[in-house]
PDB file of all heavy atoms in Angstrom:
ATOM      1  N   SER A   1     -75.605  10.249 -31.722  1.00 92.00           N
ATOM      2  CA  SER A   1     -76.519   9.974 -30.609  1.00 92.00           C
ATOM      3  C   SER A   1     -77.052  11.239 -29.941  1.00 92.00           C
ATOM      4  O   SER A   1     -77.978  11.162 -29.132  1.00 92.00           O
ATOM      5  CB  SER A   1     -75.807   9.123 -29.552  1.00 92.00           C
ATOM      6  OG  SER A   1     -75.415   7.877 -30.064  1.00 92.00           O
ATOM      7  N   LEU A   2     -76.491  12.401 -30.272  1.00 95.00           N
ATOM      8  CA  LEU A   2     -76.733  13.589 -29.458  1.00 95.00           C
ATOM      9  C   LEU A   2     -78.026  14.310 -29.811  1.00 95.00           C
ATOM     10  O   LEU A   2     -78.208  14.800 -30.928  1.00 95.00           O
ATOM     11  CB  LEU A   2     -75.551  14.552 -29.585  1.00 95.00           C
ATOM     12  CG  LEU A   2     -74.224  14.016 -29.037  1.00 95.00           C
ATOM     13  CD1 LEU A   2     -73.107  15.015 -29.258  1.00 95.00           C
ATOM     14  CD2 LEU A   2     -74.353  13.680 -27.558  1.00 95.00           C
ATOM     15  N   ALA A   3     -78.912  14.400 -28.815  1.00 96.00           N
ATOM     16  CA  ALA A   3     -80.127  15.205 -28.961  1.00 96.00           C
ATOM     17  C   ALA A   3     -79.864  16.645 -28.576  1.00 96.00           C
ATOM     18  O   ALA A   3     -80.520  17.560 -29.083  1.00 96.00           O
ATOM     19  CB  ALA A   3     -81.238  14.622 -28.086  1.00 96.00           C
ATOM     20  N   SER A   4     -78.912  16.884 -27.679  1.00 97.00           N
ATOM     21  CA  SER A   4     -78.520  18.246 -27.296  1.00 97.00           C
ATOM     22  C   SER A   4     -77.139  18.201 -26.650  1.00 97.00           C
ATOM     23  O   SER A   4     -76.700  17.148 -26.159  1.00 97.00           O
ATOM     24  CB  SER A   4     -79.535  18.866 -26.319  1.00 97.00           C
ATOM     25  OG  SER A   4     -79.436  18.254 -25.042  1.00 97.00           O
ATOM     26  N   ILE A   5     -76.461  19.359 -26.674  1.00 97.00           N
ATOM     27  CA  ILE A   5     -75.158  19.513 -26.014  1.00 97.00           C
ATOM     28  C   ILE A   5     -75.230  20.752 -25.139  1.00 97.00           C
ATOM     29  O   ILE A   5     -75.540  21.848 -25.615  1.00 97.00           O
ATOM     30  CB  ILE A   5     -74.015  19.683 -27.030  1.00 97.00           C
ATOM     31  CG1 ILE A   5     -73.974  18.519 -28.017  1.00 97.00           C
ATOM     32  CG2 ILE A   5     -72.669  19.814 -26.297  1.00 97.00           C
ATOM     33  CD1 ILE A   5     -72.976  18.722 -29.152  1.00 97.00           C
ATOM     34  N   THR A   6     -74.946  20.580 -23.862  1.00 98.00           N
ATOM     35  CA  THR A   6     -74.908  21.702 -22.928  1.00 98.00           C
ATOM     36  C   THR A   6     -73.535  21.715 -22.270  1.00 98.00           C
ATOM     37  O   THR A   6     -73.119  20.721 -21.672  1.00 98.00           O
ATOM     38  CB  THR A   6     -76.002  21.575 -21.853  1.00 98.00           C
ATOM     39  OG1 THR A   6     -77.269  21.376 -22.493  1.00 98.00           O
ATOM     40  CG2 THR A   6     -76.061  22.837 -21.014  1.00 98.00           C
ATOM     41  N   ALA A   7     -72.818  22.834 -22.408  1.00 97.00           N
ATOM     42  CA  ALA A   7     -71.454  22.947 -21.879  1.00 97.00           C
ATOM     43  C   ALA A   7     -71.461  23.669 -20.539  1.00 97.00           C
ATOM     44  O   ALA A   7     -72.167  24.675 -20.364  1.00 97.00           O
ATOM     45  CB  ALA A   7     -70.573  23.698 -22.862  1.00 97.00           C
ATOM     46  N   VAL A   8     -70.694  23.133 -19.592  1.00 98.00           N
ATOM     47  CA  VAL A   8     -70.620  23.712 -18.248  1.00 98.00           C
ATOM     48  C   VAL A   8     -69.163  23.922 -17.864  1.00 98.00           C
ATOM     49  O   VAL A   8     -68.254  23.287 -18.420  1.00 98.00           O
ATOM     50  CB  VAL A   8     -71.292  22.787 -17.212  1.00 98.00           C
ATOM     51  CG1 VAL A   8     -72.778  22.645 -17.504  1.00 98.00           C
ATOM     52  CG2 VAL A   8     -70.611  21.420 -17.169  1.00 98.00           C
ATOM     53  N   PRO A   9     -68.886  24.808 -16.913  1.00 97.00           N
ATOM     54  CA  PRO A   9     -67.519  24.986 -16.414  1.00 97.00           C
ATOM     55  C   PRO A   9     -67.040  23.750 -15.654  1.00 97.00           C
ATOM     56  O   PRO A   9     -67.841  22.969 -15.136  1.00 97.00           O
ATOM     57  CB  PRO A   9     -67.636  26.189 -15.467  1.00 97.00           C
ATOM     58  CG  PRO A   9     -68.926  26.849 -15.811  1.00 97.00           C
ATOM     59  CD  PRO A   9     -69.833  25.764 -16.301  1.00 97.00           C
ATOM     60  N   VAL A  10     -65.720  23.590 -15.601  1.00 94.00           N
ATOM     61  CA  VAL A  10     -65.099  22.579 -14.740  1.00 94.00           C
ATOM     62  C   VAL A  10     -64.584  23.313 -13.510  1.00 94.00           C
ATOM     63  O   VAL A  10     -63.666  24.129 -13.624  1.00 94.00           O
ATOM     64  CB  VAL A  10     -63.954  21.849 -15.463  1.00 94.00           C
ATOM     65  CG1 VAL A  10     -63.314  20.820 -14.531  1.00 94.00           C
ATOM     66  CG2 VAL A  10     -64.457  21.186 -16.738  1.00 94.00           C
ATOM     67  N   PRO A  11     -65.151  23.084 -12.344  1.00 88.00           N
ATOM     68  CA  PRO A  11     -64.784  23.864 -11.159  1.00 88.00           C
ATOM     69  C   PRO A  11     -63.288  23.842 -10.883  1.00 88.00           C
ATOM     70  O   PRO A  11     -62.658  22.787 -10.882  1.00 88.00           O
ATOM     71  CB  PRO A  11     -65.553  23.161 -10.032  1.00 88.00           C
ATOM     72  CG  PRO A  11     -66.726  22.526 -10.716  1.00 88.00           C
ATOM     73  CD  PRO A  11     -66.213  22.098 -12.055  1.00 88.00           C
ATOM     74  N   GLY A  12     -62.735  25.050 -10.697  1.00 85.00           N
ATOM     75  CA  GLY A  12     -61.328  25.156 -10.339  1.00 85.00           C
ATOM     76  C   GLY A  12     -60.358  25.079 -11.494  1.00 85.00           C
ATOM     77  O   GLY A  12     -59.147  25.056 -11.275  1.00 85.00           O
ATOM     78  N   HIS A  13     -60.853  25.042 -12.723  1.00 89.00           N
ATOM     79  CA  HIS A  13     -59.982  24.885 -13.887  1.00 89.00           C
ATOM     80  C   HIS A  13     -60.428  25.805 -15.023  1.00 89.00           C
ATOM     81  O   HIS A  13     -61.578  26.236 -15.083  1.00 89.00           O
ATOM     82  CB  HIS A  13     -60.011  23.437 -14.393  1.00 89.00           C
ATOM     83  CG  HIS A  13     -59.467  22.447 -13.420  1.00 89.00           C
ATOM     84  ND1 HIS A  13     -58.166  22.022 -13.435  1.00 89.00           N
ATOM     85  CD2 HIS A  13     -60.060  21.807 -12.382  1.00 89.00           C
ATOM     86  CE1 HIS A  13     -57.964  21.157 -12.452  1.00 89.00           C
ATOM     87  NE2 HIS A  13     -59.100  21.010 -11.805  1.00 89.00           N
ATOM     88  N   ASP A  14     -59.512  26.089 -15.941  1.00 93.00           N
ATOM     89  CA  ASP A  14     -59.886  26.730 -17.190  1.00 93.00           C
ATOM     90  C   ASP A  14     -60.586  25.697 -18.060  1.00 93.00           C
ATOM     91  O   ASP A  14     -60.121  24.558 -18.154  1.00 93.00           O
ATOM     92  CB  ASP A  14     -58.647  27.268 -17.906  1.00 93.00           C
ATOM     93  CG  ASP A  14     -57.954  28.399 -17.137  1.00 93.00           C
ATOM     94  OD1 ASP A  14     -58.678  29.142 -16.444  1.00 93.00           O
ATOM     95  OD2 ASP A  14     -56.724  28.516 -17.222  1.00 93.00           O
ATOM     96  N   TRP A  15     -61.696  26.071 -18.700  1.00 95.00           N
ATOM     97  CA  TRP A  15     -62.490  25.100 -19.423  1.00 95.00           C
ATOM     98  C   TRP A  15     -62.839  25.606 -20.823  1.00 95.00           C
ATOM     99  O   TRP A  15     -62.755  26.797 -21.125  1.00 95.00           O
ATOM    100  CB  TRP A  15     -63.755  24.767 -18.643  1.00 95.00           C
ATOM    101  CG  TRP A  15     -64.760  25.894 -18.609  1.00 95.00           C
ATOM    102  CD1 TRP A  15     -65.769  26.132 -19.492  1.00 95.00           C
ATOM    103  CD2 TRP A  15     -64.835  26.948 -17.637  1.00 95.00           C
ATOM    104  NE1 TRP A  15     -66.470  27.250 -19.142  1.00 95.00           N
ATOM    105  CE2 TRP A  15     -65.924  27.777 -18.007  1.00 95.00           C
ATOM    106  CE3 TRP A  15     -64.098  27.262 -16.488  1.00 95.00           C
ATOM    107  CZ2 TRP A  15     -66.286  28.901 -17.264  1.00 95.00           C
ATOM    108  CZ3 TRP A  15     -64.459  28.383 -15.769  1.00 95.00           C
ATOM    109  CH2 TRP A  15     -65.531  29.189 -16.144  1.00 95.00           C
ATOM    110  N   HIS A  16     -63.255  24.661 -21.660  1.00 96.00           N
ATOM    111  CA  HIS A  16     -63.688  24.996 -23.012  1.00 96.00           C
ATOM    112  C   HIS A  16     -65.078  25.646 -22.978  1.00 96.00           C
ATOM    113  O   HIS A  16     -65.993  25.103 -22.350  1.00 96.00           O
ATOM    114  CB  HIS A  16     -63.765  23.737 -23.886  1.00 96.00           C
ATOM    115  CG  HIS A  16     -62.444  23.278 -24.399  1.00 96.00           C
ATOM    116  ND1 HIS A  16     -61.735  23.969 -25.358  1.00 96.00           N
ATOM    117  CD2 HIS A  16     -61.700  22.188 -24.100  1.00 96.00           C
ATOM    118  CE1 HIS A  16     -60.613  23.326 -25.633  1.00 96.00           C
ATOM    119  NE2 HIS A  16     -60.565  22.244 -24.867  1.00 96.00           N
ATOM    120  N   PRO A  17     -65.278  26.779 -23.687  1.00 96.00           N
ATOM    121  CA  PRO A  17     -66.619  27.368 -23.779  1.00 96.00           C
ATOM    122  C   PRO A  17     -67.513  26.546 -24.701  1.00 96.00           C
ATOM    123  O   PRO A  17     -67.038  25.690 -25.456  1.00 96.00           O
ATOM    124  CB  PRO A  17     -66.345  28.752 -24.361  1.00 96.00           C
ATOM    125  CG  PRO A  17     -65.103  28.574 -25.170  1.00 96.00           C
ATOM    126  CD  PRO A  17     -64.272  27.564 -24.411  1.00 96.00           C
ATOM    127  N   ALA A  18     -68.801  26.840 -24.666  1.00 96.00           N
ATOM    128  CA  ALA A  18     -69.771  26.075 -25.454  1.00 96.00           C
ATOM    129  C   ALA A  18     -69.441  26.096 -26.941  1.00 96.00           C
ATOM    130  O   ALA A  18     -69.656  25.098 -27.639  1.00 96.00           O
ATOM    131  CB  ALA A  18     -71.177  26.611 -25.208  1.00 96.00           C
ATOM    132  N   SER A  19     -68.923  27.198 -27.437  1.00 95.00           N
ATOM    133  CA  SER A  19     -68.665  27.327 -28.879  1.00 95.00           C
ATOM    134  C   SER A  19     -67.703  26.277 -29.409  1.00 95.00           C
ATOM    135  O   SER A  19     -67.746  25.936 -30.600  1.00 95.00           O
ATOM    136  CB  SER A  19     -68.126  28.722 -29.187  1.00 95.00           C
ATOM    137  OG  SER A  19     -66.919  28.954 -28.472  1.00 95.00           O
ATOM    138  N   THR A  20     -66.846  25.731 -28.560  1.00 96.00           N
ATOM    139  CA  THR A  20     -65.878  24.735 -29.027  1.00 96.00           C
ATOM    140  C   THR A  20     -66.503  23.360 -29.218  1.00 96.00           C
ATOM    141  O   THR A  20     -65.882  22.474 -29.795  1.00 96.00           O
ATOM    142  CB  THR A  20     -64.693  24.603 -28.036  1.00 96.00           C
ATOM    143  OG1 THR A  20     -65.184  24.183 -26.765  1.00 96.00           O
ATOM    144  CG2 THR A  20     -63.963  25.928 -27.896  1.00 96.00           C
ATOM    145  N   PHE A  21     -67.737  23.180 -28.755  1.00 95.00           N
ATOM    146  CA  PHE A  21     -68.408  21.895 -28.893  1.00 95.00           C
ATOM    147  C   PHE A  21     -69.388  21.863 -30.064  1.00 95.00           C
ATOM    148  O   PHE A  21     -70.156  20.917 -30.213  1.00 95.00           O
ATOM    149  CB  PHE A  21     -69.140  21.533 -27.594  1.00 95.00           C
ATOM    150  CG  PHE A  21     -68.218  21.376 -26.415  1.00 95.00           C
ATOM    151  CD1 PHE A  21     -68.142  22.358 -25.443  1.00 95.00           C
ATOM    152  CD2 PHE A  21     -67.406  20.259 -26.294  1.00 95.00           C
ATOM    153  CE1 PHE A  21     -67.284  22.231 -24.350  1.00 95.00           C
ATOM    154  CE2 PHE A  21     -66.547  20.114 -25.212  1.00 95.00           C
ATOM    155  CZ  PHE A  21     -66.479  21.102 -24.242  1.00 95.00           C
ATOM    156  N   GLY A  22     -69.345  22.882 -30.891  1.00 93.00           N
ATOM    157  CA  GLY A  22     -70.188  22.896 -32.081  1.00 93.00           C
ATOM    158  C   GLY A  22     -71.224  23.995 -32.053  1.00 93.00           C
ATOM    159  O   GLY A  22     -71.528  24.568 -30.990  1.00 93.00           O
ATOM    160  N   PRO A  23     -71.816  24.323 -33.206  1.00 94.00           N
ATOM    161  CA  PRO A  23     -72.754  25.454 -33.307  1.00 94.00           C
ATOM    162  C   PRO A  23     -74.044  25.270 -32.526  1.00 94.00           C
ATOM    163  O   PRO A  23     -74.720  26.256 -32.197  1.00 94.00           O
ATOM    164  CB  PRO A  23     -73.032  25.540 -34.814  1.00 94.00           C
ATOM    165  CG  PRO A  23     -72.722  24.168 -35.341  1.00 94.00           C
ATOM    166  CD  PRO A  23     -71.591  23.665 -34.511  1.00 94.00           C
ATOM    167  N   ASN A  24     -74.412  24.046 -32.225  1.00 93.00           N
ATOM    168  CA  ASN A  24     -75.663  23.797 -31.507  1.00 93.00           C
ATOM    169  C   ASN A  24     -75.478  23.665 -30.001  1.00 93.00           C
ATOM    170  O   ASN A  24     -76.455  23.456 -29.275  1.00 93.00           O
ATOM    171  CB  ASN A  24     -76.337  22.540 -32.055  1.00 93.00           C
ATOM    172  CG  ASN A  24     -76.722  22.691 -33.515  1.00 93.00           C
ATOM    173  OD1 ASN A  24     -77.166  23.758 -33.939  1.00 93.00           O
ATOM    174  ND2 ASN A  24     -76.548  21.622 -34.290  1.00 93.00           N
ATOM    175  N   ALA A  25     -74.236  23.748 -29.529  1.00 96.00           N
ATOM    176  CA  ALA A  25     -73.995  23.633 -28.090  1.00 96.00           C
ATOM    177  C   ALA A  25     -74.392  24.926 -27.390  1.00 96.00           C
ATOM    178  O   ALA A  25     -74.192  26.021 -27.909  1.00 96.00           O
ATOM    179  CB  ALA A  25     -72.529  23.320 -27.829  1.00 96.00           C
ATOM    180  N   ARG A  26     -74.941  24.791 -26.206  1.00 97.00           N
ATOM    181  CA  ARG A  26     -75.373  25.954 -25.434  1.00 97.00           C
ATOM    182  C   ARG A  26     -74.674  25.957 -24.080  1.00 97.00           C
ATOM    183  O   ARG A  26     -74.318  24.890 -23.558  1.00 97.00           O
ATOM    184  CB  ARG A  26     -76.888  25.920 -25.250  1.00 97.00           C
ATOM    185  CG  ARG A  26     -77.362  24.649 -24.562  1.00 97.00           C
ATOM    186  CD  ARG A  26     -78.859  24.480 -24.605  1.00 97.00           C
ATOM    187  NE  ARG A  26     -79.267  23.224 -23.974  1.00 97.00           N
ATOM    188  CZ  ARG A  26     -80.519  22.816 -23.875  1.00 97.00           C
ATOM    189  NH1 ARG A  26     -81.499  23.569 -24.373  1.00 97.00           N
ATOM    190  NH2 ARG A  26     -80.803  21.668 -23.281  1.00 97.00           N
ATOM    191  N   PRO A  27     -74.462  27.120 -23.493  1.00 97.00           N
ATOM    192  CA  PRO A  27     -73.781  27.178 -22.200  1.00 97.00           C
ATOM    193  C   PRO A  27     -74.752  27.098 -21.028  1.00 97.00           C
ATOM    194  O   PRO A  27     -75.932  27.430 -21.154  1.00 97.00           O
ATOM    195  CB  PRO A  27     -73.109  28.556 -22.246  1.00 97.00           C
ATOM    196  CG  PRO A  27     -74.061  29.388 -23.060  1.00 97.00           C
ATOM    197  CD  PRO A  27     -74.653  28.447 -24.083  1.00 97.00           C
ATOM    198  N   ALA A  28     -74.237  26.643 -19.899  1.00 98.00           N
ATOM    199  CA  ALA A  28     -74.972  26.684 -18.633  1.00 98.00           C
ATOM    200  C   ALA A  28     -73.995  27.081 -17.538  1.00 98.00           C
ATOM    201  O   ALA A  28     -72.780  26.840 -17.649  1.00 98.00           O
ATOM    202  CB  ALA A  28     -75.616  25.342 -18.324  1.00 98.00           C
ATOM    203  N   LEU A  29     -74.510  27.677 -16.486  1.00 97.00           N
ATOM    204  CA  LEU A  29     -73.647  28.156 -15.407  1.00 97.00           C
ATOM    205  C   LEU A  29     -73.001  27.016 -14.639  1.00 97.00           C
ATOM    206  O   LEU A  29     -71.876  27.121 -14.164  1.00 97.00           O
ATOM    207  CB  LEU A  29     -74.454  29.029 -14.440  1.00 97.00           C
ATOM    208  CG  LEU A  29     -74.934  30.378 -14.987  1.00 97.00           C
ATOM    209  CD1 LEU A  29     -75.810  31.072 -13.950  1.00 97.00           C
ATOM    210  CD2 LEU A  29     -73.746  31.259 -15.347  1.00 97.00           C
ATOM    211  N   ASP A  30     -73.723  25.899 -14.511  1.00 97.00           N
ATOM    212  CA  ASP A  30     -73.236  24.755 -13.760  1.00 97.00           C
ATOM    213  C   ASP A  30     -74.095  23.539 -14.122  1.00 97.00           C
ATOM    214  O   ASP A  30     -75.029  23.638 -14.928  1.00 97.00           O
ATOM    215  CB  ASP A  30     -73.258  25.015 -12.252  1.00 97.00           C
ATOM    216  CG  ASP A  30     -74.608  25.534 -11.757  1.00 97.00           C
ATOM    217  OD1 ASP A  30     -75.649  25.182 -12.369  1.00 97.00           O
ATOM    218  OD2 ASP A  30     -74.631  26.278 -10.769  1.00 97.00           O
ATOM    219  N   VAL A  31     -73.785  22.396 -13.528  1.00 98.00           N
ATOM    220  CA  VAL A  31     -74.512  21.180 -13.880  1.00 98.00           C
ATOM    221  C   VAL A  31     -75.984  21.245 -13.479  1.00 98.00           C
ATOM    222  O   VAL A  31     -76.850  20.858 -14.274  1.00 98.00           O
ATOM    223  CB  VAL A  31     -73.815  19.941 -13.278  1.00 98.00           C
ATOM    224  CG1 VAL A  31     -74.636  18.685 -13.557  1.00 98.00           C
ATOM    225  CG2 VAL A  31     -72.420  19.781 -13.864  1.00 98.00           C
ATOM    226  N   PRO A  32     -76.336  21.710 -12.267  1.00 97.00           N
ATOM    227  CA  PRO A  32     -77.770  21.811 -11.958  1.00 97.00           C
ATOM    228  C   PRO A  32     -78.527  22.682 -12.959  1.00 97.00           C
ATOM    229  O   PRO A  32     -79.657  22.346 -13.352  1.00 97.00           O
ATOM    230  CB  PRO A  32     -77.787  22.419 -10.553  1.00 97.00           C
ATOM    231  CG  PRO A  32     -76.497  21.974  -9.950  1.00 97.00           C
ATOM    232  CD  PRO A  32     -75.511  22.034 -11.082  1.00 97.00           C
ATOM    233  N   SER A  33     -77.916  23.790 -13.383  1.00 98.00           N
ATOM    234  CA  SER A  33     -78.561  24.649 -14.379  1.00 98.00           C
ATOM    235  C   SER A  33     -78.718  23.907 -15.695  1.00 98.00           C
ATOM    236  O   SER A  33     -79.761  24.017 -16.367  1.00 98.00           O
ATOM    237  CB  SER A  33     -77.739  25.921 -14.595  1.00 98.00           C
ATOM    238  OG  SER A  33     -77.611  26.658 -13.410  1.00 98.00           O
ATOM    239  N   ALA A  34     -77.689  23.147 -16.082  1.00 97.00           N
ATOM    240  CA  ALA A  34     -77.760  22.378 -17.328  1.00 97.00           C
ATOM    241  C   ALA A  34     -78.869  21.344 -17.264  1.00 97.00           C
ATOM    242  O   ALA A  34     -79.620  21.164 -18.231  1.00 97.00           O
ATOM    243  CB  ALA A  34     -76.416  21.703 -17.596  1.00 97.00           C
ATOM    244  N   MET A  35     -79.006  20.663 -16.139  1.00 97.00           N
ATOM    245  CA  MET A  35     -80.058  19.659 -15.999  1.00 97.00           C
ATOM    246  C   MET A  35     -81.441  20.301 -16.098  1.00 97.00           C
ATOM    247  O   MET A  35     -82.367  19.742 -16.693  1.00 97.00           O
ATOM    248  CB  MET A  35     -79.908  18.929 -14.669  1.00 97.00           C
ATOM    249  CG  MET A  35     -78.645  18.070 -14.552  1.00 97.00           C
ATOM    250  SD  MET A  35     -78.655  16.636 -15.655  1.00 97.00           S
ATOM    251  CE  MET A  35     -79.976  15.661 -14.923  1.00 97.00           C
ATOM    252  N   ALA A  36     -81.585  21.503 -15.535  1.00 96.00           N
ATOM    253  CA  ALA A  36     -82.875  22.188 -15.571  1.00 96.00           C
ATOM    254  C   ALA A  36     -83.244  22.634 -16.980  1.00 96.00           C
ATOM    255  O   ALA A  36     -84.432  22.788 -17.302  1.00 96.00           O
ATOM    256  CB  ALA A  36     -82.847  23.392 -14.637  1.00 96.00           C
ATOM    257  N   MET A  37     -82.236  22.820 -17.846  1.00 96.00           N
ATOM    258  CA  MET A  37     -82.481  23.272 -19.210  1.00 96.00           C
ATOM    259  C   MET A  37     -82.922  22.146 -20.141  1.00 96.00           C
ATOM    260  O   MET A  37     -83.426  22.398 -21.235  1.00 96.00           O
ATOM    261  CB  MET A  37     -81.208  23.918 -19.781  1.00 96.00           C
ATOM    262  CG  MET A  37     -80.838  25.231 -19.113  1.00 96.00           C
ATOM    263  SD  MET A  37     -79.133  25.754 -19.511  1.00 96.00           S
ATOM    264  CE  MET A  37     -79.219  25.928 -21.293  1.00 96.00           C
ATOM    265  N   LEU A  38     -82.734  20.903 -19.746  1.00 96.00           N
ATOM    266  CA  LEU A  38     -83.023  19.783 -20.635  1.00 96.00           C
ATOM    267  C   LEU A  38     -84.523  19.574 -20.783  1.00 96.00           C
ATOM    268  O   LEU A  38     -85.284  19.709 -19.824  1.00 96.00           O
ATOM    269  CB  LEU A  38     -82.369  18.504 -20.099  1.00 96.00           C
ATOM    270  CG  LEU A  38     -80.848  18.515 -19.983  1.00 96.00           C
ATOM    271  CD1 LEU A  38     -80.355  17.193 -19.403  1.00 96.00           C
ATOM    272  CD2 LEU A  38     -80.195  18.783 -21.328  1.00 96.00           C
ATOM    273  N   SER A  39     -84.931  19.212 -21.983  1.00 92.00           N
ATOM    274  CA  SER A  39     -86.346  18.937 -22.226  1.00 92.00           C
ATOM    275  C   SER A  39     -86.766  17.662 -21.491  1.00 92.00           C
ATOM    276  O   SER A  39     -85.971  16.743 -21.305  1.00 92.00           O
ATOM    277  CB  SER A  39     -86.613  18.788 -23.721  1.00 92.00           C
ATOM    278  OG  SER A  39     -85.846  17.723 -24.268  1.00 92.00           O
ATOM    279  N   ASP A  40     -88.019  17.622 -21.103  1.00 91.00           N
ATOM    280  CA  ASP A  40     -88.550  16.474 -20.362  1.00 91.00           C
ATOM    281  C   ASP A  40     -89.059  15.430 -21.361  1.00 91.00           C
ATOM    282  O   ASP A  40     -90.258  15.187 -21.477  1.00 91.00           O
ATOM    283  CB  ASP A  40     -89.673  16.936 -19.432  1.00 91.00           C
ATOM    284  CG  ASP A  40     -90.154  15.836 -18.511  1.00 91.00           C
ATOM    285  OD1 ASP A  40     -89.429  14.827 -18.366  1.00 91.00           O
ATOM    286  OD2 ASP A  40     -91.258  15.981 -17.951  1.00 91.00           O
ATOM    287  N   ASP A  41     -88.108  14.811 -22.079  1.00 94.00           N
ATOM    288  CA  ASP A  41     -88.478  13.893 -23.161  1.00 94.00           C
ATOM    289  C   ASP A  41     -88.170  12.438 -22.843  1.00 94.00           C
ATOM    290  O   ASP A  41     -88.344  11.556 -23.676  1.00 94.00           O
ATOM    291  CB  ASP A  41     -87.783  14.290 -24.462  1.00 94.00           C
ATOM    292  CG  ASP A  41     -86.260  14.401 -24.300  1.00 94.00           C
ATOM    293  OD1 ASP A  41     -85.742  13.970 -23.252  1.00 94.00           O
ATOM    294  OD2 ASP A  41     -85.603  14.927 -25.215  1.00 94.00           O
ATOM    295  N   GLY A  42     -87.671  12.193 -21.635  1.00 93.00           N
ATOM    296  CA  GLY A  42     -87.400  10.818 -21.231  1.00 93.00           C
ATOM    297  C   GLY A  42     -86.087  10.253 -21.726  1.00 93.00           C
ATOM    298  O   GLY A  42     -85.734   9.106 -21.391  1.00 93.00           O
ATOM    299  N   LEU A  43     -85.323  11.030 -22.523  1.00 96.00           N
ATOM    300  CA  LEU A  43     -84.040  10.536 -23.004  1.00 96.00           C
ATOM    301  C   LEU A  43     -83.021  10.535 -21.873  1.00 96.00           C
ATOM    302  O   LEU A  43     -83.050  11.400 -20.988  1.00 96.00           O
ATOM    303  CB  LEU A  43     -83.524  11.405 -24.151  1.00 96.00           C
ATOM    304  CG  LEU A  43     -84.290  11.356 -25.468  1.00 96.00           C
ATOM    305  CD1 LEU A  43     -83.661  12.308 -26.487  1.00 96.00           C
ATOM    306  CD2 LEU A  43     -84.328   9.935 -26.022  1.00 96.00           C
ATOM    307  N   PRO A  44     -82.090   9.583 -21.892  1.00 97.00           N
ATOM    308  CA  PRO A  44     -81.038   9.578 -20.868  1.00 97.00           C
ATOM    309  C   PRO A  44     -80.108  10.765 -21.022  1.00 97.00           C
ATOM    310  O   PRO A  44     -80.036  11.389 -22.086  1.00 97.00           O
ATOM    311  CB  PRO A  44     -80.303   8.253 -21.105  1.00 97.00           C
ATOM    312  CG  PRO A  44     -80.602   7.905 -22.520  1.00 97.00           C
ATOM    313  CD  PRO A  44     -81.962   8.444 -22.822  1.00 97.00           C
TER     314      PRO A  44
END
């Protein structure tokens, strides 16, 4: 189902980096940054 994967930190915890979610996953600083990176394609 995945059109894209964006990995973000979990506040206050050690978290998995983007590389652990596959070669196409990309990192973002936080959730607002991740949302801003998404294409405007109407997908949920």
Side-chain angles (χ1 to χ4, degrees):
S1 298
L2 296 178
S4 72
I5 304 173
T6 307
V8 296
V10 179
H13 296 266
D14 295 329
W15 71 90
H16 281 290
S19 60
T20 61
F21 298 105
N24 297 321
R26 58 191 178 180
L29 292 175
D30 51 30
V31 176
S33 300
M35 294 292 292
M37 292 166 61
L38 299 178
S39 60
D40 187 17
D41 54 11
L43 292 179

